[in-house]
Amino acid sequence: MKELKRIQRLLLVLCLGLLIAVGGRCVRSLAADATPTPTPTEKPVKVEAIDYENLWLTVNGEDNTAVYFSDKSKKTWWEAQKQSDGKYIVDISWIKSTTSGEINVKGDKNEEIVTVTIPAKESKYKVKFDKVSGTLVFTGLPSGVDKFQWRKTTSYQWSEVSVEEAKTKGSAFCQELEKFRVSGASIYVRISGINAAVKDGKLDMGRRPGKEIKVSITKYANAPKLKVNGAKLTVNTTTSMEYSLDNGNTWTQAGKAMSLDLLAPGALGGSGQDKVLWFRKKATARSPHSKTFVLEIPAQRPAPTTAEYSSEVKEGKFYLSFPQASKATPYEYTVVKPGIPFNAAKASWKSVVSAKTVSISQRTAPAGSTIYIRKKAVNQTSTTNLELASANAAVLVSY
């Protein structure tokens, strides 16, 4: 009985050994037949540029034969379009501009996902038009922004200008704005964008164009209405106006009812020339200058000659004759007594509209008086041109 149990134990040991030996050979055989998973040798895709104006993202596929892109969820992948240069482009117009957006790209051979965050456009700045200086005023511009873009409301073409030029009165850009002030207009302004590009081996995300701001370019107020007083030789200016003698290059503060002696002395004296003056309402702290009124000053006619008048003393009276006087060619005269200064604008002139002799008493014209004679002014109408009162002829009274 003992012998039988010993034999049974021996057989059990032999069986276990056989099983262990067979199992080991199987494991070694499987290990020898297994092929290790190779590490991908293809390079992952690279994002090389982003065109914020046209909203295209450019991808270098590297060793991949197709490029795919997805949104933040990475659930659905779309194939990017391959270009003639071998690069791939991805439309990013579906990404909102008001917040940053994520886009993911990968290749068909190397599926390593490259994630790019598209920045939101800048929207915290403000722009307004200074209607007095004719410049743009920027507030809240991000650090480093020195250029902006603008377009007319009816145009889709953007033009780029430096911020400094827009703040400088009289610059080329501000002169362009001046053209809009004839009838008033609006423009759109935004911060210039900077396209993303690889710099020093790393993608610099640049900057999206800023939000569009509508800026109203206010028109000038209507020009003042002025006229020449041909008799007083003055212009009905006011202190709220200014005038220019050089076609608007420089402007001078106007006074009240200014004389032509100050405004256009070159038109006076009987040998002067026609002059052109520009007038406008001057700018204030709250309103721009007005449109321009152009006033033409005709050259003053020469003083009457002795062929046009004569004088004599008869029976204690002083007589003046105007042989050519008529309603069509009127003359006028004024008497200035001794010691009184002559002021043509304030003098009391008497008209002579017929070829008759005028008598003047000694009381009206005592000895030593001066009688000034001139051709009368002709007011401008729809049928007649303005003619200033002529230069003066002077007659000394003596008895």
Side-chain angles (χ1 to χ4, degrees):
M1 192 65 178
K2 290 181 179 180
E3 183 64 20
L4 179 60
K5 288 183 178 181
R6 187 180 65 82
I7 294 172
Q8 287 176 341
R9 285 196 296 273
L10 183 58
L11 291 173
L12 180 58
V13 172
L14 289 172
C15 289
L16 289 172
L18 181 61
L19 289 172
I20 291 171
V22 172
R25 284 195 298 272
C26 290
V27 171
R28 285 192 296 273
S29 176
L30 291 172
D33 294 339
T35 302
T37 303
T39 301
T41 59
E42 293 80 4
K43 296 178 182 179
V45 299
K46 288 182 180 179
V47 176
E48 290 191 339
I50 301 175
D51 183 343
Y52 291 121
E53 185 69 31
N54 298 300
L55 298 174
W56 291 111
L57 180 145
T58 302
V59 181
N60 185 338
E62 294 290 358
D63 299 326
N64 296 277
T65 58
V67 171
Y68 301 93
F69 67 96
S70 180
D71 56 16
K72 184 177 181 179
S73 69
K74 304 175 187 176
K75 292 180 178 180
T76 304
W77 293 86
W78 300 274
E79 186 172 354
Q81 183 180 357
K82 191 173 184 179
Q83 301 299 291
S84 58
D85 60 359
K87 304 294 178 65
Y88 297 82
I89 61 169
V90 176
D91 172 33
I92 59 172
S93 61
W94 49 273
I95 297 177
K96 291 183 179 180
S97 63
T98 53
T99 58
S100 59
E102 182 180 300
I103 186 168
N104 296 279
V105 292
K106 67 179 182 179
D108 62 334
K109 294 186 178 299
N110 188 318
E111 296 186 351
E112 180 181 336
I113 296 175
V114 176
T115 300
V116 176
T117 301
I118 308 296
K121 67 182 178 183
E122 181 62 44
S123 61
K124 295 182 180 180
Y125 63 96
K126 296 180 180 179
V127 187
K128 69 176 182 179
F129 178 67
D130 186 327
K131 57 188 178 182
V132 175
S133 66
T135 62
L136 294 186
V137 179
F138 294 83
T139 54
L141 285 180
S143 176
V145 172
D146 58 1
K147 292 183 178 180
F148 72 98
Q149 295 174 309
W150 73 279
R151 65 176 176 85
K152 299 177 183 178
T153 54
T154 54
S155 172
Y156 294 99
Q157 182 67 41
W158 292 94
S159 299
E160 189 170 65
V161 181
S162 71
V163 173
E164 187 62 30
E165 185 177 351
K167 297 190 300 183
T168 304
K169 184 177 181 179
S171 67
F173 171 73
C174 291
Q175 289 178 3
E176 188 73 13
L177 295 184
E178 288 293 302
K179 299 174 184 177
F180 300 147
R181 305 191 73 179
V182 175
S183 57
S186 293
I187 62 174
Y188 281 101
V189 174
R190 70 179 185 183
I191 291 175
S192 297
I194 301 176
N195 290 334
V198 175
K199 296 180 181 179
D200 299 327
K202 185 179 179 181
L203 183 66
D204 184 334
M205 294 306 297
R207 180 177 64 237
R208 293 188 80 159
K211 71 173 180 180
E212 296 182 14
I213 299 177
K214 189 175 184 179
V215 180
S216 295
I217 310 301
T218 52
K219 69 178 181 179
Y220 290 123
N222 292 331
K225 300 295 185 182
L226 293 108
K227 62 181 180 180
V228 177
N229 187 319
K232 294 184 176 181
L233 302 179
T234 59
V235 179
N236 59 329
T237 54
T238 68
T239 55
S240 65
M241 300 177 189
E242 55 189 2
Y243 65 94
S244 174
L245 305 178
D246 54 9
N247 299 330
N249 290 321
T250 58
W251 293 88
T252 304
Q253 167 73 49
K256 185 176 181 180
M258 296 183 70
S259 72
L260 294 182
D261 285 336
L262 292 174
L263 289 172
L268 304 180
S271 59
Q273 298 178 339
D274 295 349
K275 297 294 180 181
V276 174
L277 305 179
W278 289 18
F279 293 89
R280 69 185 185 186
K281 295 177 183 176
K282 64 181 181 180
T284 67
R286 306 183 71 176
S287 63
H289 64 75
S290 72
K291 296 177 183 177
T292 301
F293 182 85
V294 178
L295 184 64
E296 296 180 358
I297 311 295
Q300 189 179 36
R301 292 169 291 172
T305 66
T306 54
E308 298 174 77
Y309 73 91
S310 62
S311 63
E312 63 176 337
V313 177
K314 187 176 181 181
E315 297 178 354
K317 288 187 177 182
F318 197 89
Y319 291 91
L320 288 175
S321 298
F322 297 88
Q324 299 179 19
S326 67
K327 289 183 178 180
T329 56
Y331 290 77
E332 57 187 2
Y333 70 93
T334 187
V335 178
V336 179
K337 294 180 179 180
I340 298 176
F342 171 58
N343 187 324
K346 294 182 178 180
S348 176
W349 295 87
K350 296 185 181 297
S351 296
V352 180
V353 294
S354 63
K356 66 179 182 179
T357 299
V358 178
S359 65
I360 305 173
S361 68
Q362 290 191 35
R363 182 177 179 180
T364 301
S369 298
T370 301
I371 300 177
Y372 293 94
I373 301 168
R374 68 184 186 182
K375 298 172 185 176
K376 192 173 182 178
V378 177
N379 293 326
Q380 185 169 358
T381 67
S382 58
T383 57
T384 60
N385 293 323
L386 170 69
E387 288 191 32
L388 303 178
S390 72
N392 304 306
V395 177
L396 183 63
V397 177
S398 63
Y399 296 95

